[in-house]
Amino acid sequence: MLEVPDTQALTGAALEHIKADEFMPDEERSHAEAAVREDESEALAYLVDPTDLVVDIPGVELAQASWSSEPVEYDPESMEWDLDEEDGDFDQEPDNA
């Protein structure tokens, strides 16, 4: 989970990143800028490169990467957001009855 308290800063950084990309065709640049202005998730996607996340890990070679993000309302009181628990019930003892 990632919290973005300043969406304007995120969007601005993504727009600067797109502007500085000398290899991006103008048509793609226009589309990218519009997408970033419309959706903070798109802004994040232009700033985070999955390759950078694993490039220095020994024994790992990135074959393909994709990811997505979406805005959600975070409620720390909700059981849905209990970050100490893994998905599923892995801590329960197996039923040997």
Side-chain angles (χ1 to χ4, degrees):
M1 178 176 11
L2 176 74
E3 182 178 356
V4 181
D6 189 347
T7 57
Q8 290 181 339
L10 173 66
T11 300
L15 290 171
E16 286 298 318
H17 180 76
I18 292 166
K19 182 180 177 181
D21 186 345
E22 62 188 50
F23 298 109
M24 185 180 290
D26 288 339
E27 185 176 309
E28 184 179 337
R29 187 181 318 278
S30 296
H31 176 74
E33 290 171 343
V36 163
R37 285 188 181 99
E38 183 177 312
D39 184 355
E40 291 87 12
S41 300
E42 289 291 331
L44 185 61
Y46 276 95
L47 294 171
V48 177
D49 182 355
T51 304
D52 291 342
L53 299 175
V54 298
V55 70
D56 293 328
I57 300 174
V60 174
E61 182 177 324
L62 185 64
Q64 181 178 357
S66 69
W67 66 284
S68 65
S69 62
E70 64 182 273
V72 296
E73 292 296 322
Y74 174 61
D75 177 5
E77 302 300 318
S78 171
M79 292 297 289
E80 181 178 331
W81 293 101
D82 187 0
L83 301 178
D84 292 332
E85 294 293 324
E86 294 289 328
D87 290 338
D89 295 325
F90 298 112
D91 293 337
Q92 291 182 345
E93 293 291 323
D95 187 7
N96 294 329

